[in-house]
Amino acid sequence: MIFRKEKEHGVLTEEEILDMARDIAENDPAYIIGSMLIKSVCDDTGLDEGAAFSMLLDGGGMPKGIAAISARAANDLMRLYEEGGIEGDIDSYLEDERFVKMLLEMPVKAALRLYAAECNADAAARAEREKGAMDVMEKLAARRALPSPIKGNTPAAADTDYANMPTREFNLIKERLMRAASEGRRVSL
């Protein structure tokens, strides 16, 4: 379509004609809807405008389901990483299945907060288990430091009760001690 419009002083230049055509096209509802659709695909998938246009033109339409969620999450993760909102490497987050499942259920920022909270709770539980193991080891070491009887499960011999002993037994012990003393042996009770 050729636009020719007479100016007061002559014919319009090619640049002026292109500006008029651009103004008409940019105000066309079909152009506005198409631009919004391409922008939406770009925002959701992280593709550039040319790739988004090609995807829509080839009949692929908007990605659906997991593909859309994954593309949107990857785009949001990259944006947060560039802003400094993510500690460490993005791949370390995406390698953990718990984080990937969270991405399917909630927005990226919420998944990051929940994932960080779970990792902190896991670290605290691990530290508590290690502390408990150290306590048990210390108790075992303290028990080993206690003296142990020479003969394991045998009770210690009771001291002889000379005061309540029958007279006959006492006299036998007394005779044995006297005999040992007369032979020159040292005897202790």
Side-chain angles (χ1 to χ4, degrees):
M1 206 157 125
I2 299 176
F3 293 99
R4 285 196 161 227
K5 181 177 177 185
E6 294 291 326
K7 275 175 67 175
E8 291 177 21
H9 301 291
V11 180
L12 293 172
T13 64
E14 187 175 326
E15 189 175 310
E16 291 174 329
I17 293 173
L18 288 174
D19 286 340
M20 278 180 55
R22 189 175 303 117
D23 287 341
I24 292 171
E26 287 177 355
N27 291 326
D28 184 33
Y31 177 82
I32 293 171
I33 292 170
S35 296
M36 289 173 30
L37 189 58
I38 290 172
K39 184 178 181 331
S40 173
V41 170
C42 290
D43 290 343
D44 289 345
T45 62
L47 298 173
D48 63 12
E49 289 183 4
F53 178 74
S54 297
M55 186 174 71
L56 290 171
L57 190 62
D58 293 340
M62 284 287 289
K64 293 177 178 62
I66 302 263
I69 292 170
S70 299
R72 188 176 304 118
N75 190 25
D76 289 346
L77 280 172
M78 285 301 296
R79 184 176 37 76
L80 287 171
Y81 179 74
E82 290 169 357
E83 293 172 359
I86 295 178
E87 298 173 6
D89 189 21
I90 294 175
D91 292 335
S92 64
Y93 286 97
L94 295 176
E95 289 171 358
D96 192 346
E97 292 181 25
R98 293 183 309 166
F99 182 69
V100 174
K101 286 180 183 176
M102 287 180 204
L103 286 178
L104 297 175
E105 298 170 358
M106 60 190 74
V108 174
K109 285 186 178 182
L112 282 171
R113 283 194 305 268
L114 182 59
Y115 181 72
E118 284 186 2
C119 288
N120 289 340
D122 289 346
R126 195 175 319 111
E128 191 64 31
R129 278 193 306 272
E130 289 174 5
K131 181 182 176 195
M134 292 301 293
D135 288 345
V136 168
M137 291 176 65
E138 287 174 4
K139 286 179 183 177
L140 287 174
R143 285 183 186 164
R144 282 189 209 118
L146 292 175
S148 59
I150 295 172
K151 295 181 182 177
N153 291 329
T154 59
D159 291 337
T160 308
D161 186 9
Y162 296 108
N164 295 321
M165 183 182 286
T167 307
R168 193 171 145 234
E169 285 182 34
F170 182 77
N171 288 334
L172 288 172
I173 292 173
K174 185 178 172 185
E175 284 177 26
R176 209 174 347 149
L177 290 173
M178 291 175 112
R179 208 175 316 130
S182 67
E183 293 174 1
R185 289 183 297 165
R186 182 173 158 100
V187 180
S188 63
L189 294 178

